Amino acid sequence: MLLFQAAIICQGFSQTYYPYRKHEYRHTKKWGFSDSLKKMVISLQYDQVDPFNDGVARVKIDGKYRFIDKRQRFINDIKYDYATNFDNKRAIVRRGNGWGVIDNTGKPVTALMYDYVAGFRNGLAIVKYNGKYGFINYEGKLVIKPEYDYVHPFGKKYTGVQIRGFWGFINRQGNIVIPTKYKDVSNFSEGLALVKYENLYGFINTEGELVINYQFDAAVSFREGLARIEKRGYSGFVDKQGWLIKPKYMGVVSFREGLARVKNAAFWGFIDKRGDTIIPFKYEKASSFYEGLAGVKNGGKWGFINNKGNMVIPQKYDRADVPRNGLIRVKMQGKWGFINKKGEEVISIKYEFVNGFKYGLAKVKYKNEWIYIDKNGTEYVDY
C-alpha cells in the first residue's frame, strides 16, 4: 500500500502543471497552477508565474521573485529582487546589489557577491566583480579571475577579452592565446574570428594568423561558409578563401538554409552562395528562411514563400514572425494568433498579443488579461 501511494505521489509530481487563472478572481490578478483538465493543483496566490522547468517554477509575490516546487513549497527562504528561470538546473538571482547563482533545490552555487552575472554559455558564465569581468563554471567555481575590462560569452574553445581598450582571445584556462591588439573582435565562428585592426576588418584563424586581409568597413561573423561584409557603402559576402560575392547590394543578411536575403536599390530578393539571384528582387521586406519558409511583404501584407520562390501562404497578414517548430505567429485585423506552415489557422487569431512558445506554452493577452495557452489552443483560465 505504501509503495502504491508513493507511485501515485510520484506520478502527480511528474505531470505537467499549467499557469492558471480563474475569471471570477480576475480582480485579484492572482495566479496558480492547474493540471491538463484545468483542475487547480496549486492555489491562486501569486502575482506572476512562469511554467515549471527543471521541476521548479518562478513566481512573483509581493514584488519579489521566489521559486516553488510541485508540492507548493518554496525551495529556499530568500526573496529575490531579480531572478531568471532555471536552465540546466541553474538560475541567476539578485538580492539588492548582490548577484549569484542557485541550483534547482534552492542551494547557492555562488554567494550573492557579484556585481553582475550573465547566462551560461558553453559551460561558463560571465561574472563582474569590482568593475572587472571573469568566468565561473556550473559548480560556481571562479575559473577565470575578474581582470578584464570586458569579455564576450565563451565559445567552444576561446573568447574575446578587452584589456585597456584592446581586444584579444583567451582559452578556457584563462591564458591569452591571441594578443590584445585589436580595436574590436567577434568570437570564432566556423573556425574564423572577425577582428578590427586600425580602421578595417579582417578575419583570423585560431592561431591568430590573418586569413582574410583587413579590407572591410564592416563585417559579421561566418555562417554557412560565408560572412557579410561592407565596402564603400555597399554590402556583399566573403568566403573563407577570401573570394567575394561583389559588394553591390544596399543591404544583406547572413545565409540561412542556403540562401541570403539581399536588397538592391529598392527591393529584397534572395541569392545563393555563388551570388546568383534565385528569387527575384520584388519584395518590400523579407525575412530569412526558417524551416523552409521565408516571410515576404508587399502592399503592407506578409505571406510566405518556399526556397523556389513559390508563394505557399498568401500575403494577407499585417505582421508575421518566422516559423518556429512548425508554428508561425501572425497578426491580422488587429489580432494575433498562430498558423501552421500550410497557412492553416491552428490557434485562433483573436488575441491582443501572443508571445512565442516556451516549455510548450505561450503567454497571450485576451480581453486585456494575460493567460497561457498550449499548442492545442487550450486556454488555462476559466471564464
Side-chain angles (χ1 to χ4, degrees):
M1 179 62 72
L2 289 174
L3 290 173
F4 176 76
Q5 290 175 338
I8 294 296
I9 291 171
C10 290
Q11 182 180 7
F13 293 139
S14 66
Q15 70 175 327
T16 302
Y17 283 14
Y18 299 88
Y20 179 72
R21 297 282 295 278
K22 264 188 175 293
H23 187 68
E24 61 253 41
Y25 297 115
R26 182 176 174 180
H27 66 281
T28 67
K29 301 291 185 183
K30 297 298 183 182
W31 289 82
F33 290 85
S34 76
D35 62 17
S36 60
L37 300 176
K38 296 198 285 189
K39 178 183 177 182
M40 194 182 302
V41 291
I42 295 179
S43 60
L44 305 171
Q45 58 185 296
Y46 306 108
D47 302 321
Q48 179 183 318
V49 298
D50 291 292
F52 275 86
N53 184 42
D54 286 337
V56 179
R58 182 179 67 169
V59 300
K60 193 173 186 181
I61 185 168
D62 296 329
K64 301 293 184 180
Y65 291 96
R66 304 195 68 180
F67 296 93
I68 60 170
D69 62 22
K70 288 185 176 180
R71 294 180 175 88
Q72 201 173 337
R73 300 182 307 190
F74 293 116
I75 63 173
N76 62 30
D77 295 326
I78 303 175
K79 300 175 182 179
Y80 300 104
D81 297 306
Y82 171 83
T84 66
N85 282 301
F86 276 91
D87 184 26
N88 289 327
K89 300 182 179 180
R90 296 291 185 269
I92 296 166
V93 294
R94 175 178 64 83
R95 189 179 186 189
N97 293 322
W99 292 73
V101 180
I102 62 172
D103 68 19
N104 65 333
T105 68
K107 295 179 181 178
V109 176
T110 72
L112 297 173
M113 59 180 286
Y114 294 106
D115 305 329
Y116 177 71
V117 181
F120 283 91
R121 182 85 62 85
N122 291 310
L124 298 178
I126 297 170
V127 295
K128 185 180 182 182
Y129 187 73
N130 285 340
K132 299 291 185 179
Y133 292 87
F135 292 87
I136 59 171
N137 62 17
Y138 272 122
E139 287 68 48
K141 181 181 178 182
L142 190 65
V143 293
I144 296 174
K145 294 180 180 179
E147 57 187 5
Y148 301 102
D149 299 330
Y150 204 73
V151 296
H152 290 319
F154 241 96
K156 292 182 180 179
K157 294 176 61 178
Y158 303 142
T159 194
V161 297
Q162 186 188 52
I163 301 175
R164 292 186 292 277
F166 289 92
W167 288 85
F169 291 86
I170 61 171
N171 60 19
R172 296 176 76 86
Q173 289 72 49
N175 301 318
I176 292 179
V177 292
I178 297 174
T180 52
K181 64 179 183 179
Y182 302 104
K183 287 188 176 180
D184 195 11
V185 301
S186 71
N187 272 358
F188 282 89
S189 176
E190 301 183 6
L192 297 180
L194 173 68
V195 296
K196 184 179 183 181
Y197 190 73
E198 300 298 338
N199 292 316
L200 294 174
Y201 289 89
F203 291 86
I204 61 172
N205 62 19
T206 54
E207 304 300 318
E209 299 165 336
L210 185 64
V211 175
I212 300 174
N213 195 29
Y214 308 115
Q215 57 184 295
F216 308 119
D217 301 320
V220 177
S221 297
F222 274 87
R223 180 190 288 173
E224 296 189 9
L226 292 164
R228 296 162 47 191
I229 56 91
E230 183 178 313
K231 295 182 74 171
R232 295 182 291 277
Y234 291 94
S235 298
F237 294 90
V238 65
D239 70 9
K240 294 179 182 179
Q241 287 71 47
W243 180 83
L244 291 174
I245 294 178
K246 186 178 178 181
K248 61 180 181 179
Y249 302 104
M250 300 304 296
V252 301
V253 179
S254 297
F255 277 85
R256 290 191 69 92
E257 301 184 8
L259 296 176
R261 56 182 165 123
V262 297
K263 186 181 182 182
N264 62 13
F267 296 100
W268 290 86
F270 292 81
I271 62 172
D272 65 13
K273 293 181 180 180
R274 296 179 299 182
D276 295 332
T277 300
I278 302 302
I279 298 173
F281 296 88
K282 60 180 181 179
Y283 301 109
E284 296 167 4
K285 289 186 178 181
S287 70
S288 298
F289 275 90
Y290 285 79
E291 300 180 17
L293 297 179
V296 290
K297 182 181 181 182
N298 277 331
K301 300 294 183 181
W302 285 89
F304 288 84
I305 58 174
N306 62 19
N307 58 11
K308 305 297 182 184
N310 299 322
M311 189 71 64
V312 295
I313 299 176
Q315 291 176 303
K316 62 180 182 179
Y317 301 103
D318 301 322
R319 292 182 64 182
D321 198 358
V322 299
R324 299 183 190 279
N325 298 314
L327 293 178
I328 307 170
R329 292 192 309 156
V330 293
K331 183 181 183 182
M332 189 166 61
Q333 297 178 349
K335 301 295 183 182
W336 288 85
F338 290 87
I339 61 174
N340 63 20
K341 294 199 293 181
K342 295 179 182 178
E344 299 166 335
E345 186 176 320
V346 292
I347 295 176
S348 296
I349 303 175
K350 67 176 187 178
Y351 299 103
E352 286 113 69
F353 190 76
V354 296
N355 290 291
F357 280 91
K358 191 173 184 180
Y359 312 129
L361 298 170
K363 196 172 186 179
V364 303
K365 192 174 186 180
Y366 187 52
K367 296 180 179 179
N368 206 34
E369 179 181 7
W370 287 101
I371 60 174
Y372 279 89
I373 62 172
D374 64 21
K375 290 185 177 181
N376 296 318
T378 302
E379 299 174 344
Y380 288 90
V381 60
D382 277 335
Y383 292 105

